[in-house]
Structure formats: structure tokens, C-alpha cells
Amino acid sequence: MPAEPDGPPPAATLPEATPPGATRYARVVVDSRLPQLDRLFEYRVPPGMTGVEPGVRVRVPLRGDRLTSGWVVETTDARAWEGEVADVEKVVSPVPVLQPEVWALARAIADRAAGGAADVLRVAIPGRQARIEKQWLAQERAELPPLPEAVEAAAVLPGLVEARRRVAIECAGGVAEITDAEGAPVWVGRWAISLASIARQAIERGEQAIIVVPDHRDQRQLRIALAAAIGDERVVELDARQKNPERYRGFLRCIDGEPIAIIGPRSAVYAPAPKLGLLAIWEDGDPLLSEPLAPWVHARDAALVRQGQSGCALVLAGHARSSDAERLVELGFLEHERLGAHRVRVLPSALTDDGRRVPAVAFRAAKEALATKPVLVQVARPGHAPGLRCGDCGARARCTSCAGPLGRSSRGAVPSCRLCGRLAAAWRCQSCRGTSLTEVGRGSSRIAEELGRAFPGVPVMVADGEHERLTIDAKPRMVVATRGAEPLADGGYGAVLLLDGDALLSREGLRVAEEAVRQWATARALAADGATVVLTGAGGATVTAITGDTTVPFAKAELAERRSLRFPPAVRTASVVGHPDAVAEAVEALAEIEHLDVLGPVPAPADVVKGSREGELERAIARFAYADGARVAGVARGRVLAAASRPRKPGAPPRLRIRLDDPEPFDGL
DNA sequence: AGCACGCCGACT
DNA sequence: GTCGGCGTGCTC
């Protein structure tokens, strides 16, 4: 920021604004999960203590001499708290890890989710690494090298960042070759190149870009594409999979405020970025973007709040439009864009008579493609046989300890429980005492064996959770992958076989069809131009979603159906779980809100809250309009607060838990 | 969470 | 008369 030509120096360069002798106070958010403590506490800065500045981590006494960690939100000369004021115990580190805009964001997100701000901060701020911090404090900031030459023709949606547009982007798919930081050619999804180009717009304006991805596979592609677009010195990764020191190093670079692109998993949406030009979410329909910790906020929702606060450009992108993004398009909040063209032929195919073999169309497509390129086979389940039946009476083989389904992880392996993993070495049928087992269904390794026999001489590899493979070269081969584990092939796949459509769609659940379409679109995007994609075992709207060249009509239809059923994302929800009394009180309080309806309460399933027994707790679901969100969250927070100060037995589940926009109860609908 | 405060039953 | 039950409230 330039100083006035002849004016005083900027305030930040003055040594210490407070005159000696005046008492300073610090308002601190304490790092606690208790709803009762979710507010600012005021402490005196003892004379002689330095470094108590907004954003730093401090230790403060809470209730007598018990010390708690917290972050300074602001410092003042005038105290607002009338009662007794304790002293800040010490400054843990001088680094302002809680930036003002992140505090404002955490507060707003917590309020919207009826949760505590400290819970959000725990996700937003990585644990301190003293060694890394020391390096960061000592190092002098090097000037960033100039941006790589821009390729005019490669510009994607020019002016998007400058105009602060809010856009839902459907990316057409396909792969492309670019040059990595060392000058070697690498293949990445075209989506990554598009997002990198948009991010460059922010960097060119001297602003930051945050791009959130569901997993490290996408992050890898995006990192490569960004390195090509803006130089790898300007790419900061905030990956929870990284070693803690690496993660903290990246986090500290964000605080520097340079024009950089920040990429990472769902928590990256909270990265400090004082000059945020672009906030983008890749694959916003991916359930991985939903935070599994309280207050269970989806990165898309966090991004919407953050965009509202910072006014930056917003992008929700994916190979398939999510019903949530489509809702925002229909509302006029987001514009629709479609990027690129991907020429593939998608052939729907019914299951064959015996339902066991690869259909003839798929066989032909694979055979043709294998002459020059690899072939991707997407299957629903890992392992050898996902299910087992009694060979004598046909009863489903179940785990003796948890009643979960037994399966076989590899040919001839001892059956094991797919839920708890226990081995069932001496299995006997519960109903007929029989000991022979028949395999039901085919997992990735069994399909790989079958394909190996069907295509003699063609190498077959498996890619699933256990055999992770990010990329493969362009040599012809069969790649059998579970959903989400598909490797990226140099040059793209010559054919993509989406087997097991029926298995994907047979589950019950609000988002089953939408999720299937998303996973198919993801696999389809890995195909080379001109490739054939075969989809088996699916029907109806999901098929046209994937054979056509846009998923938008499908998302529209999904949304329309959810509207008629009053299901999310047409409405918001609050799931209320706890002691029957507490649930009844909460439901009563929520029912005061107009147009809010309540399903239940009904006995809650076991373990809906960790350690709860079947029928011990009750659950109710409230549905309400987006416009009533603040009121619902306020009432919910009030009930949780009231329930929290009531006694409960040690080890017992909490008396009341309210989760807003909890997808879980709708999984089985 | 944890701990102090406070108002009703069995005891020296 | 008092010791102590745990419902209620509070944490700068």
C-alpha cells in the first residue's frame, strides 16, 4: 500500500501505538469445543508483555488457573467486560496465524452451521511447527520470478476474475499434454488447464486464488497445470496428506499475501488470503468436500459464505453439474458456462443374459481400442467377490460378530467381513450349517482375471484403494479401477467401460443417481478424443445424462424432483439427535418457525452418535427454507447450549446434537 | 469439561 | 443441629 507522498508514515511502521502505562486488553477466542465458551473473552495484557497482537496464539487462564489455548482476535485500550479480568499467560508464537478475514469467515460459517467458531478454526489453522516458523520468521522474502509467457489462445473465460463473476462451469473432459516445471511433457485433465488459466487471471491482478479439490489425485493434476500457467513458485499446496511441517510451511506462505495460487483439500477453503481474487471449487458434488468434523460444513457452503464476505470471483466447476450448483444457477446467483469439447461416443448397453460377462459391445470396443491405447474398466467394488452365499441354502453369508456381509478380497482368500474386516476362517451357515460358499458379484480383481482370459496377451492391471495408481503410460493394456481410483492415462483411454451400473444404482439414497452420473462423467473425462464409452446396467435419466454432451438437464431434473419432495438441496435441513427429552424440546422450539416441518422424532439408529446404543437416542429432521437459515441456526444453537449445561453421565453420548445440512439421514431415502 | 454454589434427607 | 446429595451456573 503506497503511503501519502508527504504525509505521516503508515501506522503499521510506528513502533508501538499504545503510550507507556496505558493498559491494553486482548479479546481472545478460546480453543474449546464447548458451546458455552463460543464467544470472546477479554484479558489484560500484563505490563511488559510484548507480541500480543491480533491473530497470534496465546495461553490464557480460564476458570481459576487452568490454562487454555486461544487466538487473539483484537486488542483494545478500553475494556468491555465489567467483571474481573485475568492476564494473558503467554504468547505462544508471534505469527498472526488467525487473519482477520479468516476470523470473520469462521464466525459466519459457525453461525450458519449452528456450531462453534473454534471448531472451524481447528480445521482452518494447522498445528504449529516451531522449526518451520523459525525459518519463516528469519527468511527474507524473495521477489517472485516473472510470470511465464501467457498463451493468448489458451485464455479461458477472460475477464472472469476482474468482473468478479460467479460461475458454475461444466468442463467437457478429455486430457491434454503440457510441460511440467522441469520441461518434461505431462498429461493432465483439460479441466486442470482451464482452472489454472482462470487462476492466472487473479495472479496477473496481483491477487490470490484458492482452488479446492476433493482429493490428492486432482490436486496433482492441478498443481502441474498451475506450475505451467503461473510458475511453480506461485503454487502453494495445503495438503493434509503432506507432512505437518510441509503443510505449515505452505500455510505461512499464504499469510505473506503474495499473488499465489493456493490449492488443497476441503480445508483449503479457509486458507488465509487477504487479497483473494478467485475462489474455486473443483467437483463441488464430490462428497469428500464435506468436512467430517464439527460443524460438518461442506466446502461449497464455506466458499459461498467467503465469496459473500470478500466479493471475489467464484467458480463451482465439475465434469458433471451438481444439483446444488444448478440450484444456484436457477436462482440467478451463478452463471452457467460450459468449457471445451470432448468427442466421445457413449453406448448404453443392457446386462447380458447371465449378467456376469462383459457385454458384446464393450468387448468389441475394448478389442478395437487395445490395438493402440489402454482401456479403462470402471467397476463398483474392489476385491475378488463383494458377496458370498451359502452353497447349500443360498442364505447371505454374514459376519458372526457384526452381521456385516462377507466377501473375498482375492481368489481363494479366507472370507472376511466387508464392514469390520474380521476373517471368517471356519464359516458355517447360520441357517443350514452348510460350509460351502458361492461367490456373488465381481470385484475389481475378479474382473481383471476374467478380462485377462478374454484378452490373452493383453496386460491387465488393477487400480483401487489398495493398489493405488495415479498415472499410466500410453501402452495398450486393460486397467480395472474402482470409482475414484482411475489412473490418468497418457493420451487418454481408447475405450472406457463403465460396468456395474446396476450395482451403483441399486443402493437406496437421495444422491445415488447424481453420484453415479458424477462418477461416470469423471471416468468418461479420462477418455481420448474419439474414444468409445460403454455404460452397462443403467437406465432412464442417468443414461441420457451420460450419453448426451451435457449433464445440466439431468441436474435440473434432479433438482425439480427434490423440490417436489422437499428434499435437499431444495430445502435446508437440521438433524436433531439426542435424549428424547432434549430432542422434544428442540423440535418444539424449531416448530415455531413458519414453513418449517419436522420428520420424527423416531428412535435413532445405533451409533448415530459415537457410542450410542440402538433406541437410546431419538432423531428428528427439520426442513426449512434457505431464507430461514439464520433463525433456525440461532434456535438450534440455543437448544444445544441449554442441553450442554445439563448434567450427563460420564461417557454417555451428548444430550443433544444438531447438525445442519447433514446428508446422512437422506442416504437411505 | 470441570468446579463451586446451593438447597433438602439421614446422621452423630 | 450438621454432612453431603447432585441440579444449576459459570468460565474474561
Side-chain angles (χ1 to χ4, degrees):
Chain A
M1 196 186 292
E4 295 287 322
D6 295 309
T13 65
L14 290 171
E16 184 54 56
T18 316
T23 313
R24 289 173 71 230
Y25 298 90
R27 302 217 171 97
V28 174
V29 51
V30 297
D31 187 3
S32 164
R33 243 161 310 187
L34 299 174
Q36 305 92 305
L37 303 184
D38 181 27
R39 55 204 154 101
L40 298 184
F41 288 85
E42 204 162 79
Y43 292 89
R44 185 176 76 122
V45 179
M49 182 180 280
T50 57
V52 182
E53 299 299 335
V56 302
R57 227 190 149 101
V58 286
R59 300 277 293 170
V60 288
L62 193 63
R63 183 107 217 190
D65 49 8
R66 322 171 74 78
L67 290 178
T68 322
S69 285
W71 295 273
V72 175
V73 167
E74 53 185 352
T75 58
T76 64
D77 296 337
R79 45 187 287 198
W81 173 253
E82 303 284 315
E84 242 172 86
V85 181
D87 284 356
V88 174
E89 222 275 327
K90 71 166 186 176
V91 176
V92 175
S93 120
V95 181
V97 289
L98 176 56
Q99 296 285 302
E101 87 273 6
V102 177
W103 165 247
L105 177 64
R107 185 66 272 165
I109 299 262
D111 289 345
R112 185 180 188 277
D119 286 332
V120 179
L121 294 180
R122 216 169 293 126
V123 173
I125 302 174
R128 175 177 181 241
Q129 302 283 326
R131 195 169 47 86
I132 306 299
E133 205 166 85
K134 225 174 264 168
Q135 290 172 6
W136 180 79
L137 288 165
Q139 129 213 318
E140 38 200 284
R141 307 289 180 269
E143 193 78 359
L144 284 168
L147 276 171
E149 195 100 353
V151 186
E152 206 57 50
V156 173
L157 302 176
L160 182 150
V161 171
E162 185 182 11
R164 296 307 199 229
R165 291 176 64 193
R166 299 179 304 233
V167 191
I169 301 178
E170 188 185 33
C171 293
V175 294
E177 194 177 35
I178 56 171
T179 309
D180 76 2
E182 275 83 50
V186 207
W187 288 85
V188 295
R190 287 185 189 136
W191 67 269
I193 298 170
S194 299
L195 288 187
S197 164
I198 296 170
R200 184 181 162 116
Q201 295 180 21
I203 311 305
E204 282 173 349
R205 292 167 49 82
E207 296 170 335
Q208 294 128 343
I210 295 177
I211 307 179
V212 181
V213 293
D215 62 28
H216 68 287
R217 311 166 62 83
D218 292 330
Q219 186 169 324
R220 180 190 153 271
Q221 296 183 58
L222 188 58
R223 186 219 312 136
I224 294 168
L226 276 165
I230 60 174
D232 65 346
E233 315 80 8
R234 282 190 187 74
V235 185
V236 168
E237 297 187 87
L238 294 179
D239 189 348
R241 285 172 58 103
Q242 284 173 295
K243 298 258 181 293
N244 279 335
E246 276 310 302
R247 188 171 172 220
Y248 198 60
R249 201 192 306 276
F251 178 81
L252 293 179
R253 271 202 71 194
C254 296
I255 290 180
D256 281 340
E258 310 163 300
I260 49 171
I262 301 158
I263 62 176
R266 53 189 177 243
S267 60
V269 75
Y270 303 110
K275 286 170 76 183
L276 189 59
L278 169 72
L279 182 47
I281 310 279
W282 170 244
E283 281 292 344
D284 73 284
D286 194 318
L288 281 173
L289 292 173
S290 198
E291 183 61 56
L293 300 169
W296 303 285
V297 176
H298 194 286
R300 183 202 306 110
D301 292 332
L304 288 163
V305 172
R306 186 161 194 175
Q307 193 280 328
Q309 291 188 337
S310 86
C312 63
L314 178 70
V315 167
L316 303 183
H319 286 130
R321 173 70 44 87
S322 69
S323 56
D324 310 77
E326 188 54 27
R327 181 187 145 261
L328 295 165
V329 172
E330 292 190 6
L331 222 57
F333 183 81
L334 297 179
E335 301 169 69
H336 161 78
E337 288 283 359
R338 183 181 159 82
L339 283 184
H342 187 212
R343 303 229 143 269
V344 292
R345 193 167 51 124
V346 184
L347 306 173
S349 141
L351 289 174
T352 46
D353 312 339
D354 60 4
R356 311 184 94 232
R357 250 182 251 129
V358 178
V361 244
F363 192 91
R364 269 200 309 276
K367 187 143 189 117
E368 244 166 69
L370 282 169
T372 54
K373 289 188 167 69
V375 168
L376 174 65
V377 183
Q378 186 198 56
V379 298
R381 300 183 181 288
H384 181 75
L388 295 168
R389 273 181 203 290
C390 173
D392 298 326
C393 73
R396 194 75 201 250
R398 298 201 167 273
C399 173
T400 45
S401 75
C402 80
L406 293 184
R408 235 198 270 282
S409 62
S410 59
R411 165 166 297 279
V414 175
S416 60
C417 175
R418 293 222 327 268
L419 284 184
C420 71
R422 274 200 186 74
L423 295 175
W427 178 84
R428 292 209 103 175
C429 177
Q430 304 268 324
S431 40
C432 76
R433 310 302 299 157
T435 54
S436 70
L437 284 164
T438 324
E439 295 177 344
V440 184
R442 298 163 306 162
S444 50
S445 64
R446 186 169 171 193
I447 289 183
E449 283 172 24
E450 289 180 12
L451 290 171
R453 285 195 291 274
F455 296 92
V458 176
V460 181
M461 60 175 284
V462 173
D464 56 27
E466 279 179 27
H467 317 85
E468 190 168 63
R469 197 67 200 255
L470 297 181
T471 59
I472 59 160
D473 60 29
K475 291 196 196 79
R477 76 177 85 181
M478 295 288 247
V479 179
V480 181
T482 52
R483 299 160 287 153
E486 303 90 352
L488 188 109
D490 289 356
Y493 290 97
V496 174
L497 314 184
L498 305 168
L499 305 183
D500 298 345
D502 52 331
L504 236 60
L505 294 170
S506 66
R507 279 180 40 235
E508 292 291 314
L510 182 63
R511 289 184 176 264
V512 162
E514 186 177 341
E515 184 59 4
V517 166
R518 195 183 66 75
Q519 290 172 343
W520 292 331
T522 303
R524 182 183 64 179
L526 298 172
D529 284 312
T532 303
V533 178
V534 181
L535 171 59
T536 70
T542 57
V543 171
T544 37
I546 217 76
T547 53
D549 58 16
T550 170
T551 61
V552 170
F554 173 77
K556 275 190 188 302
E558 276 285 311
L559 183 59
E561 194 188 351
R562 312 264 182 93
R563 274 208 192 93
S564 70
L565 297 170
R566 227 173 125 72
F567 280 164
V571 294
R572 292 189 65 196
T573 64
S575 79
V576 181
V577 182
H579 246 248
D581 298 349
V583 171
E585 283 169 26
V587 163
E588 197 183 329
L590 287 169
E592 303 269 308
I593 295 164
E594 279 173 40
H595 313 304
L596 177 144
D597 72 327
V598 179
L599 314 173
V602 293
D607 250 2
V608 66
V609 173
K610 192 162 68 85
S612 71
R613 290 192 304 273
E614 175 85 41
E616 180 185 19
L617 303 177
E618 286 190 342
R619 176 164 79 184
I621 314 285
R623 302 189 289 191
F624 56 95
Y626 284 76
D628 296 323
R631 266 188 81 195
V632 172
V635 170
R637 196 65 178 155
R639 295 324 305 167
V640 169
L641 204 62
S645 63
R646 219 147 290 166
R648 68 180 162 101
K649 295 169 208 81
R655 283 185 60 86
L656 185 66
R657 192 202 71 187
I658 300 184
R659 233 173 116 167
L660 266 63
D661 306 307
D662 177 7
E664 198 265 334
F666 295 91
D667 283 351
L669 297 179

